[in-house]
Coordinates of all heavy atoms in Angstrom, one line a residue:
M384 N 8.9 14.3 -11.6 CA 8.6 13.4 -10.4 C 7.1 13.4 -10.2 O 6.5 14.4 -10.1 CB 9.5 13.8 -9.3 CG 9.2 12.9 -8.0 SD 10.2 13.4 -6.6 CE 11.8 13.0 -7.2
Q385 N 6.5 12.2 -9.9 CA 5.2 12.1 -9.5 C 4.9 12.6 -8.1 O 5.7 12.4 -7.2 CB 4.6 10.8 -9.8 CG 3.1 10.6 -9.5 CD 2.5 9.4 -10.0 OE1 3.3 8.4 -10.3 NE2 1.2 9.2 -10.2
Q386 N 3.7 13.0 -7.8 CA 3.3 13.4 -6.5 C 2.2 12.4 -6.0 O 1.3 12.3 -6.9 CB 2.9 15.0 -6.4 CG 4.2 15.8 -6.5 CD 3.8 17.3 -6.1 OE1 2.7 17.8 -6.5 NE2 4.7 17.8 -5.3
F387 N 2.2 12.0 -4.9 CA 1.1 11.3 -4.3 C 0.4 12.0 -3.2 O 1.1 12.9 -2.5 CB 1.5 10.0 -3.7 CG 2.0 8.9 -4.8 CD1 3.0 8.0 -4.4 CD2 1.5 8.9 -6.1 CE1 3.5 7.2 -5.3 CE2 1.9 7.9 -7.0 CZ 3.0 7.1 -6.6
P388 N -0.9 12.0 -3.1 CA -1.7 12.7 -2.0 C -1.7 11.8 -0.8 O -2.3 10.7 -0.7 CB -3.0 12.9 -2.6 CG -3.2 11.7 -3.5 CD -1.8 11.4 -4.0
C389 N -1.0 12.3 0.3 CA -1.1 11.6 1.6 C -2.5 12.1 2.1 O -2.7 13.4 2.2 CB 0.0 11.9 2.5 SG -0.2 11.5 4.2
P390 N -3.4 11.2 2.7 CA -4.6 11.8 3.3 C -4.5 12.7 4.6 O -5.4 13.4 5.0 CB -5.4 10.5 3.7 CG -4.5 9.4 3.4 CD -3.3 9.7 2.7
Y391 N -3.2 12.7 5.1 CA -3.0 13.5 6.2 C -2.1 14.7 5.9 O -2.2 15.8 6.5 CB -2.2 12.6 7.3 CG -3.0 11.4 7.6 CD1 -2.6 10.3 7.1 CD2 -4.1 11.4 8.4 CE1 -3.3 9.1 7.4 CE2 -4.8 10.3 8.7 CZ -4.3 9.1 8.1 OH -5.0 7.9 8.5
C392 N -1.2 14.6 4.9 CA -0.3 15.8 4.6 C -0.4 16.5 3.3 O 0.1 17.6 3.1 CB 1.3 15.2 4.7 SG 1.6 14.2 6.1
G393 N -1.3 15.8 2.5 CA -1.5 16.5 1.1 C -0.5 15.9 0.2 O 0.2 15.0 0.3
L394 N -0.3 16.7 -0.9 CA 0.6 16.3 -2.0 C 2.1 16.2 -1.6 O 2.5 17.3 -1.1 CB 0.4 17.1 -3.3 CG -0.8 16.8 -4.1 CD1 -0.9 17.8 -5.3 CD2 -0.8 15.5 -4.7
R395 N 2.7 15.2 -1.9 CA 4.2 15.1 -1.6 C 4.8 14.2 -2.6 O 4.2 13.4 -3.4 CB 4.4 14.4 -0.2 CG 3.8 15.1 1.0 CD 4.4 16.4 1.2 NE 3.8 17.2 2.3 CZ 4.2 17.1 3.5 NH1 5.3 16.5 3.9 NH2 3.6 17.9 4.5
N396 N 6.2 14.4 -2.8 CA 6.9 13.7 -3.9 C 6.8 12.2 -3.6 O 6.8 11.7 -2.4 CB 8.4 14.2 -3.9 CG 8.5 15.6 -4.5 OD1 7.7 15.9 -5.3 ND2 9.5 16.2 -4.0
E397 N 6.8 11.5 -4.6 CA 6.6 9.9 -4.6 C 7.8 9.3 -3.8 O 7.6 8.2 -3.2 CB 6.6 9.4 -6.0 CG 7.9 9.6 -6.8 CD 7.7 9.0 -8.1 OE1 7.6 7.8 -8.4 OE2 8.0 9.8 -9.2
T398 N 9.0 9.9 -3.7 CA 10.0 9.4 -3.0 C 9.8 9.4 -1.5 O 10.5 8.7 -0.7 CB 11.4 10.1 -3.2 OG1 11.1 11.5 -2.8 CG2 11.8 10.0 -4.6
E399 N 8.8 10.0 -1.1 CA 8.3 10.0 0.4 C 7.5 8.9 0.8 O 7.1 8.6 1.9 CB 7.7 11.2 0.9 CG 8.6 12.5 0.7 CD 7.9 13.8 1.3 OE1 6.9 13.6 2.0 OE2 8.4 14.8 1.1
F400 N 7.1 8.0 -0.2 CA 6.1 7.0 0.0 C 6.9 5.5 -0.2 O 7.6 5.4 -0.9 CB 4.9 7.2 -0.9 CG 4.1 8.4 -0.7 CD1 4.5 9.6 -1.3 CD2 3.0 8.4 0.1 CE1 3.9 10.8 -1.0 CE2 2.2 9.5 0.3 CZ 2.6 10.6 -0.2
H401 N 6.1 4.5 0.5 CA 6.6 3.2 0.4 C 5.4 2.4 0.1 O 4.5 2.4 0.8 CB 7.4 2.8 1.7 CG 7.7 1.5 1.7 ND1 8.7 0.9 1.0 CD2 7.2 0.4 2.4 CE1 8.8 -0.4 1.3 NE2 7.9 -0.7 2.0
F402 N 5.5 1.5 -0.9 CA 4.5 0.5 -1.3 C 4.5 -0.5 -0.2 O 5.6 -1.1 0.1 CB 4.6 0.0 -2.6 CG 3.8 -1.2 -2.9 CD1 2.6 -0.9 -3.5 CD2 4.2 -2.4 -2.9 CE1 1.7 -1.9 -3.9 CE2 3.4 -3.5 -3.2 CZ 2.2 -3.3 -3.7
A403 N 3.3 -0.8 0.4 CA 3.2 -1.9 1.3 C 2.7 -3.1 0.9 O 3.3 -4.2 1.1 CB 2.5 -1.4 2.6
A404 N 1.6 -3.0 0.2 CA 1.0 -4.4 -0.2 C -0.3 -4.0 -1.1 O -0.6 -2.9 -1.1 CB 0.5 -5.1 1.0
E405 N -0.6 -5.0 -1.9 CA -1.9 -5.0 -2.6 C -3.0 -5.1 -1.5 O -2.8 -6.0 -0.7 CB -2.0 -6.0 -3.6 CG -1.1 -5.6 -4.8 CD -1.3 -6.7 -6.0 OE1 -1.6 -7.9 -5.6 OE2 -1.0 -6.4 -7.0
S406 N -4.1 -4.3 -1.6 CA -5.3 -4.4 -0.7 C -5.9 -5.8 -1.0 O -6.0 -6.3 -2.1 CB -6.1 -3.3 -1.0 OG -7.2 -3.4 -0.3
G407 N -6.3 -6.3 0.1 CA -7.1 -7.6 0.1 C -6.3 -8.9 0.3 O -7.0 -9.9 0.4
K408 N -5.0 -8.7 0.4 CA -4.2 -10.0 0.7 C -4.5 -10.3 2.2 O -4.4 -9.4 3.0 CB -2.9 -9.7 0.4 CG -2.5 -9.7 -1.0 CD -1.0 -9.4 -1.4 CE -0.2 -10.6 -1.2 NZ 1.2 -10.3 -1.6
T409 N -4.6 -11.5 2.6 CA -4.9 -11.9 3.9 C -3.6 -12.6 4.4 O -3.1 -13.5 3.8 CB -6.0 -12.9 4.0 OG1 -7.1 -12.3 3.5 CG2 -6.3 -13.3 5.4
R410 N -3.1 -12.2 5.5 CA -1.8 -12.7 6.2 C -2.2 -14.0 6.6 O -3.2 -14.3 7.2 CB -1.4 -11.9 7.2 CG -0.2 -12.4 8.0 CD 0.2 -11.4 9.2 NE 1.3 -12.0 9.9 CZ 2.6 -11.7 9.8 NH1 2.9 -10.8 8.9 NH2 3.5 -12.2 10.5
P411 N -1.4 -15.1 6.2 CA -1.7 -16.5 6.7 C -1.7 -16.6 8.1 O -0.9 -15.8 8.9 CB -0.5 -17.2 6.1 CG 0.0 -16.4 4.9 CD -0.1 -15.0 5.3
D412 N -2.4 -17.5 8.7 CA -2.4 -17.8 10.0 C -1.0 -18.4 10.5 O -0.7 -19.5 10.1 CB -3.5 -18.7 10.4 CG -3.5 -19.0 11.9 OD1 -2.9 -18.5 12.8 OD2 -4.4 -19.9 12.3
T413 N -0.3 -17.6 11.3 CA 1.0 -18.1 11.7 C 1.0 -19.0 13.0 O 2.1 -19.3 13.6 CB 2.0 -17.0 11.8 OG1 1.6 -16.0 12.7 CG2 2.4 -16.4 10.5
N414 N -0.2 -19.2 13.5 CA -0.4 -20.0 14.7 C -0.4 -21.5 14.3 O -0.3 -22.4 15.2 CB -1.6 -19.6 15.6 CG -1.6 -18.3 16.2 OD1 -0.4 -17.9 16.7 ND2 -2.6 -17.5 16.0
T415 N -0.4 -21.8 13.1 CA -0.4 -23.1 12.5 C 0.8 -23.2 11.6 O 1.2 -22.2 11.0 CB -1.6 -23.5 11.9 OG1 -1.9 -22.6 10.8 CG2 -2.8 -23.5 12.8
P416 N 1.4 -24.4 11.5 CA 2.5 -24.5 10.6 C 2.2 -24.1 9.2 O 1.1 -24.2 8.7 CB 2.8 -26.0 10.6 CG 2.3 -26.5 11.8 CD 1.1 -25.6 12.1
I417 N 3.1 -23.4 8.5 CA 2.9 -22.9 7.1 C 4.2 -23.2 6.3 O 5.2 -23.1 6.8 CB 2.7 -21.4 7.2 CG1 2.4 -20.9 5.8 CG2 3.7 -20.6 7.9 CD1 2.0 -19.5 5.6
D418 N 4.0 -23.8 5.1 CA 5.1 -24.2 4.2 C 5.7 -23.0 3.7 O 5.1 -21.9 3.5 CB 4.7 -25.3 3.3 CG 3.8 -24.8 2.4 OD1 4.0 -23.9 1.6 OD2 2.6 -25.5 2.4
D419 N 6.9 -23.1 3.3 CA 7.7 -22.0 2.5 C 7.0 -21.3 1.5 O 7.0 -20.3 1.1 CB 9.1 -22.4 2.3 CG 9.9 -22.7 3.5 OD1 9.6 -22.1 4.6 OD2 11.1 -23.3 3.3
K420 N 6.4 -22.3 0.5 CA 5.7 -21.8 -0.6 C 4.7 -21.0 -0.3 O 4.4 -19.9 -1.0 CB 5.3 -23.1 -1.5 CG 4.5 -22.6 -2.8 CD 4.4 -23.4 -3.9 CE 3.8 -22.9 -5.1 NZ 3.3 -21.6 -5.2
H421 N 3.7 -21.3 0.6 CA 2.6 -20.6 1.0 C 3.1 -19.2 1.5 O 2.5 -18.2 1.2 CB 1.8 -21.3 2.1 CG 0.4 -20.9 2.3 ND1 -0.5 -21.3 3.2 CD2 -0.2 -19.7 1.9 CE1 -1.6 -20.6 3.2 NE2 -1.4 -19.6 2.4
W422 N 4.1 -19.2 2.4 CA 4.5 -17.9 2.9 C 5.2 -17.0 1.9 O 4.9 -15.8 1.8 CB 5.5 -18.2 4.0 CG 6.0 -17.0 4.8 CD1 7.2 -16.4 4.8 CD2 5.1 -16.1 5.6 NE1 7.2 -15.4 5.5 CE2 6.0 -15.1 6.1 CE3 3.8 -16.1 6.0 CZ2 5.4 -14.0 6.9 CZ3 3.4 -15.2 6.8 CH2 4.1 -14.2 7.2
S423 N 5.9 -17.6 0.9 CA 6.5 -16.9 -0.2 C 5.5 -16.3 -1.0 O 5.7 -15.1 -1.5 CB 7.6 -17.8 -0.9 OG 8.0 -17.2 -2.1
D424 N 4.5 -17.1 -1.3 CA 3.4 -16.6 -2.2 C 2.7 -15.4 -1.6 O 2.3 -14.3 -2.3 CB 2.4 -17.7 -2.5 CG 2.8 -18.7 -3.5 OD1 3.9 -18.5 -4.1 OD2 2.1 -19.7 -3.6
Y425 N 2.4 -15.3 -0.2 CA 1.9 -14.4 0.4 C 2.7 -13.1 0.4 O 2.2 -12.0 0.1 CB 1.7 -14.6 2.0 CG 1.3 -13.5 2.8 CD1 0.1 -12.8 2.6 CD2 2.3 -12.9 3.6 CE1 -0.1 -11.7 3.3 CE2 2.0 -11.9 4.4 CZ 0.8 -11.2 4.2 OH 0.5 -10.1 5.0
L426 N 4.1 -13.3 0.5 CA 4.9 -12.1 0.5 C 5.3 -11.5 -0.9 O 5.4 -10.3 -1.1 CB 6.4 -12.5 1.2 CG 6.3 -12.8 2.7 CD1 7.7 -13.3 3.0 CD2 6.0 -11.6 3.4
Y427 N 5.4 -12.4 -1.9 CA 5.9 -11.9 -3.2 C 5.0 -12.0 -4.4 O 5.3 -11.4 -5.4 CB 7.3 -12.7 -3.4 CG 8.2 -12.5 -2.3 CD1 8.6 -13.6 -1.5 CD2 8.8 -11.2 -2.1 CE1 9.6 -13.4 -0.5 CE2 9.7 -11.0 -1.1 CZ 10.1 -12.1 -0.3 OH 11.0 -11.9 0.6
Q428 N 4.0 -12.8 -4.3 CA 3.2 -13.0 -5.4 C 2.0 -11.9 -5.4 O 1.2 -11.8 -4.4 CB 2.5 -14.3 -5.5 CG 3.4 -15.5 -5.7 CD 4.2 -15.4 -7.0 OE1 3.5 -15.1 -8.0 NE2 5.4 -15.5 -7.0
N429 N 2.0 -11.0 -6.3 CA 0.9 -9.9 -6.4 C 0.1 -10.1 -7.7 O 0.5 -10.7 -8.7 CB 1.6 -8.6 -6.4 CG 2.2 -8.3 -5.1 OD1 1.7 -8.5 -4.1 ND2 3.5 -7.8 -5.2
Y430 N -1.1 -9.6 -7.7 CA -1.9 -9.6 -8.9 C -1.4 -8.7 -10.0 O -1.5 -8.9 -11.1 CB -3.4 -9.2 -8.5 CG -4.0 -10.1 -7.4 CD1 -4.3 -9.7 -6.2 CD2 -4.3 -11.5 -7.8 CE1 -5.0 -10.5 -5.4 CE2 -4.9 -12.3 -6.9 CZ -5.2 -11.8 -5.6 OH -5.7 -12.6 -4.7
N431 N -0.8 -7.6 -9.5 CA -0.1 -6.7 -10.5 C -1.1 -6.3 -11.7 O -0.7 -6.5 -12.7 CB 1.2 -7.1 -10.9 CG 2.0 -6.1 -11.6 OD1 1.7 -4.8 -11.4 ND2 3.0 -6.4 -12.4
P432 N -2.3 -5.9 -11.4 CA -3.3 -5.7 -12.5 C -2.9 -4.6 -13.4 O -2.2 -3.6 -12.9 CB -4.6 -5.3 -11.7 CG -4.1 -4.7 -10.4 CD -2.8 -5.4 -10.1
K433 N -3.3 -4.8 -14.6 CA -3.2 -3.6 -15.6 C -4.4 -2.7 -15.4 O -5.6 -3.3 -15.8 CB -3.0 -4.1 -17.0 CG -2.9 -3.1 -18.1 CD -2.5 -3.7 -19.4 CE -2.2 -2.6 -20.4 NZ -2.1 -3.2 -21.7
G434 N -4.4 -1.6 -15.0 CA -5.5 -0.9 -14.7 C -5.7 -0.4 -13.3 O -4.7 -0.1 -12.7
T435 N -6.9 -0.5 -12.8 CA -7.1 0.0 -11.5 C -6.5 -1.0 -10.4 O -6.8 -2.2 -10.6 CB -8.6 0.2 -11.1 OG1 -9.1 1.0 -12.2 CG2 -8.9 0.7 -9.9
S436 N -5.8 -0.4 -9.5 CA -5.2 -1.3 -8.5 C -5.4 -0.6 -7.2 O -5.2 0.7 -6.9 CB -3.6 -1.5 -8.7 OG -3.0 -2.2 -7.7
K437 N -5.9 -1.3 -6.1 CA -6.0 -0.8 -4.8 C -4.9 -1.3 -3.9 O -4.8 -2.5 -3.8 CB -7.4 -1.3 -4.2 CG -7.8 -0.4 -3.0 CD -9.4 -0.6 -2.7 CE -9.9 0.4 -1.8 NZ -11.3 0.2 -1.6
E438 N -4.2 -0.4 -3.3 CA -2.9 -0.8 -2.6 C -2.8 -0.1 -1.3 O -3.5 1.0 -1.0 CB -1.7 -0.4 -3.4 CG -1.8 -1.0 -4.9 CD -1.0 -0.3 -5.9 OE1 -0.6 0.9 -5.7 OE2 -0.6 -1.0 -6.9
V439 N -2.0 -0.7 -0.4 CA -1.7 -0.2 1.0 C -0.4 0.5 0.7 O 0.6 0.0 0.3 CB -1.7 -1.1 2.1 CG1 -1.3 -0.4 3.3 CG2 -3.0 -1.9 2.1
W440 N -0.3 1.9 1.1 CA 1.0 2.6 1.1 C 1.2 3.3 2.3 O 0.3 3.5 3.2 CB 0.9 3.8 -0.1 CG 1.0 3.2 -1.5 CD1 0.0 2.5 -2.1 CD2 2.0 3.4 -2.4 NE1 0.4 2.3 -3.4 CE2 1.7 2.8 -3.5 CE3 3.3 4.0 -2.3 CZ2 2.7 2.8 -4.6 CZ3 4.1 3.9 -3.3 CH2 3.8 3.4 -4.5
M441 N 2.5 3.6 2.7 CA 2.9 4.3 3.7 C 3.5 5.7 3.3 O 4.4 5.6 2.5 CB 3.8 3.4 4.7 CG 4.5 4.3 5.8 SD 5.7 3.5 6.8 CE 4.5 2.8 8.0
H442 N 3.1 6.8 4.1 CA 3.9 8.0 3.8 C 5.0 8.0 4.8 O 4.7 8.1 6.1 CB 2.9 9.1 3.9 CG 3.6 10.5 3.7 ND1 3.2 11.6 4.3 CD2 4.7 10.8 2.9 CE1 4.0 12.7 3.9 NE2 5.0 12.2 3.2
L443 N 6.1 7.9 4.4 CA 7.3 7.8 5.4 C 7.5 9.1 6.2 O 8.0 8.9 7.4 CB 8.6 7.6 4.6 CG 8.6 6.3 3.8 CD1 9.8 6.1 2.8 CD2 8.4 5.0 4.6
A444 N 7.1 10.2 5.8 CA 7.3 11.3 6.6 C 6.3 11.4 7.9 O 6.7 11.8 9.0 CB 7.0 12.7 5.8
C445 N 5.1 10.9 7.7 CA 4.3 10.9 8.9 C 4.0 9.5 9.4 O 3.4 9.4 10.5 CB 2.9 11.6 8.6 SG 1.8 10.6 7.4
R446 N 4.5 8.5 8.7 CA 4.5 7.1 9.1 C 3.0 6.6 9.1 O 2.7 5.5 9.8 CB 5.0 6.9 10.5 CG 6.4 7.4 10.8 CD 7.4 6.9 9.8 NE 7.7 5.5 10.2 CZ 8.5 4.7 9.5 NH1 9.2 5.2 8.4 NH2 8.7 3.4 9.9
E447 N 2.1 7.1 8.5 CA 0.7 6.7 8.3 C 0.6 5.8 7.1 O 1.2 6.0 6.1 CB -0.3 7.9 8.3 CG -0.3 8.7 9.5 CD -1.0 8.0 10.6 OE1 -1.7 6.9 10.5 OE2 -0.9 8.6 11.7
V448 N -0.2 4.8 7.3 CA -0.6 4.0 6.1 C -2.0 4.3 5.6 O -2.8 4.8 6.4 CB -0.5 2.5 6.4 CG1 1.0 2.1 6.7 CG2 -1.4 2.1 7.7
F449 N -2.2 4.1 4.4 CA -3.4 4.5 3.8 C -3.7 3.7 2.6 O -2.8 3.0 2.0 CB -3.5 5.9 3.5 CG -2.5 6.4 2.6 CD1 -2.7 6.5 1.2 CD2 -1.3 6.8 3.0 CE1 -1.9 7.0 0.3 CE2 -0.2 7.2 1.9 CZ -0.5 7.4 0.7
L450 N -5.0 3.6 2.0 CA -5.3 2.9 0.9 C -5.1 4.0 -0.4 O -5.6 5.1 -0.2 CB -6.7 2.4 0.8 CG -7.0 1.2 1.8 CD1 -8.5 0.9 1.7 CD2 -6.2 0.0 1.3
M451 N -4.4 3.5 -1.4 CA -4.4 4.4 -2.7 C -4.9 3.5 -3.7 O -4.5 2.4 -4.0 CB -3.0 4.9 -2.9 CG -2.9 5.6 -4.1 SD -1.5 6.8 -4.1 CE -0.1 5.7 -4.0
T452 N -5.9 4.1 -4.5 CA -6.4 3.4 -5.7 C -5.8 4.2 -6.9 O -5.8 5.4 -6.9 CB -7.9 3.5 -5.7 OG1 -8.5 2.9 -4.5 CG2 -8.3 2.7 -7.0
R453 N -5.0 3.5 -7.7 CA -4.4 4.2 -8.8 C -4.5 3.4 -10.0 O -4.8 2.1 -9.9 CB -2.9 4.4 -8.5 CG -2.2 3.2 -8.3 CD -0.7 3.5 -7.7 NE 0.1 2.3 -7.7 CZ 0.8 2.0 -8.7 NH1 1.0 2.6 -9.7 NH2 1.6 0.8 -8.6
D454 N -4.3 4.0 -11.1 CA -4.3 3.3 -12.4 C -2.9 3.0 -12.8 O -2.1 3.9 -13.0 CB -5.0 4.2 -13.5 CG -5.2 3.6 -14.9 OD1 -4.4 2.9 -15.3 OD2 -6.3 3.9 -15.5
T455 N -2.6 1.8 -13.0 CA -1.2 1.3 -13.3 C -0.8 1.6 -14.7 O 0.2 1.4 -15.1 CB -1.1 -0.2 -12.9 OG1 -2.0 -0.9 -13.7 CG2 -1.3 -0.4 -11.5
V456 N -1.7 2.0 -15.5 CA -1.5 2.2 -17.0 C -0.9 3.7 -17.1 O 0.2 4.0 -17.6 CB -2.6 2.0 -17.9 CG1 -2.3 2.3 -19.3 CG2 -3.0 0.6 -17.9
N457 N -1.6 4.6 -16.6 CA -1.5 6.1 -16.7 C -0.7 6.7 -15.4 O -0.5 7.9 -15.4 CB -2.5 6.9 -17.3 CG -3.7 6.8 -16.5 OD1 -3.7 6.5 -15.2 ND2 -4.9 7.2 -16.9
M458 N -0.8 5.8 -14.4 CA -0.2 6.3 -13.1 C -1.1 7.3 -12.4 O -0.6 7.9 -11.4 CB 1.2 6.7 -13.2 CG 2.2 5.7 -14.0 SD 2.0 4.0 -13.2 CE 3.1 4.3 -11.9
D459 N -2.3 7.6 -12.8 CA -3.2 8.5 -12.2 C -3.6 7.9 -10.7 O -3.9 6.8 -10.7 CB -4.4 8.8 -13.0 CG -4.3 9.7 -14.1 OD1 -3.1 10.4 -14.2 OD2 -5.1 9.9 -14.9
V460 N -3.6 8.8 -9.7 CA -4.2 8.4 -8.4 C -5.6 8.7 -8.5 O -6.1 9.8 -8.7 CB -3.5 9.2 -7.4 CG1 -4.1 8.9 -6.0 CG2 -2.0 8.9 -7.3
L461 N -6.5 7.7 -8.3 CA -7.9 7.8 -8.5 C -8.6 8.2 -7.0 O -9.6 8.9 -7.1 CB -8.6 6.5 -8.9 CG -7.9 6.0 -10.2 CD1 -8.5 4.6 -10.7 CD2 -8.2 7.1 -11.4
E462 N -7.9 7.6 -6.0 CA -8.6 7.9 -4.6 C -7.5 7.6 -3.5 O -6.8 6.6 -3.7 CB -9.8 7.0 -4.4 CG -10.5 7.1 -3.1 CD -11.7 6.2 -3.1 OE1 -11.7 5.1 -3.7 OE2 -12.6 6.6 -2.1
V463 N -7.5 8.4 -2.4 CA -6.7 7.9 -1.2 C -7.8 7.8 -0.1 O -8.7 8.6 -0.1 CB -5.6 8.8 -1.0 CG1 -4.5 8.7 -1.9 CG2 -6.1 10.2 -0.7
Q464 N -7.5 6.9 0.8 CA -8.4 6.7 1.9 C -7.7 6.3 3.2 O -6.9 5.5 3.2 CB -9.3 5.5 1.6 CG -10.4 5.2 2.6 CD -11.2 3.9 2.3 OE1 -11.3 3.5 1.1 NE2 -11.8 3.4 3.3
A465 N -7.9 7.2 4.2 CA -7.2 7.1 5.4 C -7.6 5.7 6.1 O -8.8 5.2 5.9 CB -7.5 8.2 6.4
L466 N -6.7 5.1 6.8 CA -7.0 3.8 7.4 C -7.5 3.9 8.9 O -7.6 3.0 9.5 CB -6.0 2.8 7.2 CG -5.8 2.3 5.8 CD1 -4.6 1.4 5.8 CD2 -7.0 1.6 5.4
R467 N -7.4 5.1 9.4 CA -8.0 5.4 10.7 C -8.7 6.7 10.7 O -8.5 7.7 9.8 CB -6.8 5.4 11.8 CG -5.8 6.4 11.6 CD -4.6 6.3 12.7 NE -3.7 7.2 12.7 CZ -3.7 8.3 13.3 NH1 -4.7 8.7 14.0 NH2 -2.8 9.1 13.2
G468 N -9.5 6.8 11.8 CA -10.5 7.9 11.8 C -10.0 9.3 11.8 O -10.5 10.3 11.2
E469 N -9.0 9.4 12.7 CA -8.6 10.9 13.0 C -7.1 11.0 13.0 O -6.4 9.9 13.2 CB -9.2 11.4 14.2 CG -8.8 10.6 15.4 CD -9.6 11.0 16.7 OE1 -10.8 11.1 16.7 OE2 -8.9 11.3 17.7
H470 N -6.5 12.1 12.9 CA -5.2 12.2 12.9 C -4.7 13.3 13.9 O -5.4 14.4 14.0 CB -4.6 12.7 11.4 CG -3.1 12.9 11.4 ND1 -2.3 11.9 11.6 CD2 -2.5 14.0 11.2 CE1 -1.0 12.3 11.5 NE2 -1.1 13.7 11.3
H471 N -3.8 13.0 14.8 CA -3.3 13.9 15.7 C -1.7 14.0 15.5 O -1.1 13.1 15.4 CB -3.7 13.6 17.0 CG -3.4 12.3 17.5 ND1 -2.2 11.8 18.0 CD2 -4.1 11.1 17.4 CE1 -2.1 10.6 18.2 NE2 -3.3 10.1 17.9
D472 N -1.2 15.2 15.7 CA 0.2 15.5 15.5 C 0.9 15.2 16.8 O 0.4 15.3 17.9 CB 0.5 16.9 15.1 CG -0.1 17.1 13.6 OD1 0.1 16.1 12.9 OD2 -0.7 18.1 13.4
Ligands
LIG1188 ZN1 1.6 11.9 5.5

């Protein structure tokens, strides 16, 4: 089983993590009408790059989200980055 590094908790089993989104996707403005295709594309169409991918993940144990850069070919985690400045228990 692979382990992922949570920026707050350290190395944990991959089953404790949930993929949230590819980094860089912009949520459509929902204050104006949006057609189903546009919304569906936002939700389900991913770049799914071969190689380096920057993604938003959640560690389910601490409920924190963070950026994880990983190599989709060899599954190596290249970097994790907290999305807020400080952590308090
Ligand atoms: Zn954590």
